[in-house]
Amino acid sequence: MTLIIISTAPTLDLEPIELLLALAAFDQQPKLLLLGEGVLYANALQQAKRTNGKAVSKVMSALPMYDCEEIFIRQSDIKRFGLENDILHSFCTVIDKQKTQQLIQQSKHCVNL
């Protein structure tokens, strides 16, 4: 299992999410872990960063259609950035620090972006 770890805030370039989709297209069953500023990817209310650009929230909302349903967010980072659970994508799973460590240890490959 490949674990994609995103720990930076969303930018105009959505390469981390595109990598996840590419892995899913080849039946790799990737998992996504959002840490630090990466939790901002889970904000369902986020708008496009430029006119006619891709909104991170819309790209994220499409992930379950591509069998990318294992998306994890560390609880402490949600609190740190003042996010409320009701604005997070519903398919994201909130986990604690211990579960985060287990997820990383159980992964065959980790890609940290």
Side-chain angles (χ1 to χ4, degrees):
M1 179 266 300
T2 300
L3 178 65
I4 306 295
I5 302 171
I6 300 176
S7 56
T8 58
T11 63
L12 295 175
D13 183 14
L14 298 177
E15 280 187 7
I17 302 302
E18 291 169 354
L19 173 60
L20 185 74
L21 291 170
L23 289 170
F26 290 99
D27 293 325
Q28 296 297 308
Q29 300 174 337
K31 294 182 181 182
L32 177 62
L33 175 60
L34 302 172
L35 299 176
E37 293 179 346
V39 299
L40 300 174
Y41 275 88
N43 182 350
L45 303 177
Q46 203 168 117
Q47 300 297 312
K49 297 212 179 270
R50 66 178 147 183
T51 306
N52 297 325
K54 294 179 186 176
V56 174
S57 62
K58 289 185 180 181
V59 175
M60 287 289 292
S61 66
L63 292 179
M65 291 182 349
Y66 296 93
D67 294 327
C68 296
E69 297 171 337
E70 295 193 72
I71 300 167
F72 302 94
I73 309 168
R74 191 167 53 191
Q75 177 67 42
S76 60
D77 291 327
I78 293 172
K79 289 180 183 176
R80 180 176 153 209
F81 288 94
L83 298 174
E84 300 292 331
N85 286 345
D86 61 338
I87 66 165
L88 301 176
H89 288 285
S90 61
F91 50 84
C92 294
T93 303
V94 178
I95 58 175
D96 61 17
K97 184 177 179 179
Q98 182 180 4
K99 178 66 176 167
T100 302
Q101 292 171 342
Q102 289 174 350
L103 186 63
I104 293 169
Q105 290 171 349
Q106 293 171 352
S107 300
K108 186 173 181 180
H109 303 286
C110 284
V111 179
N112 196 352
L113 305 167

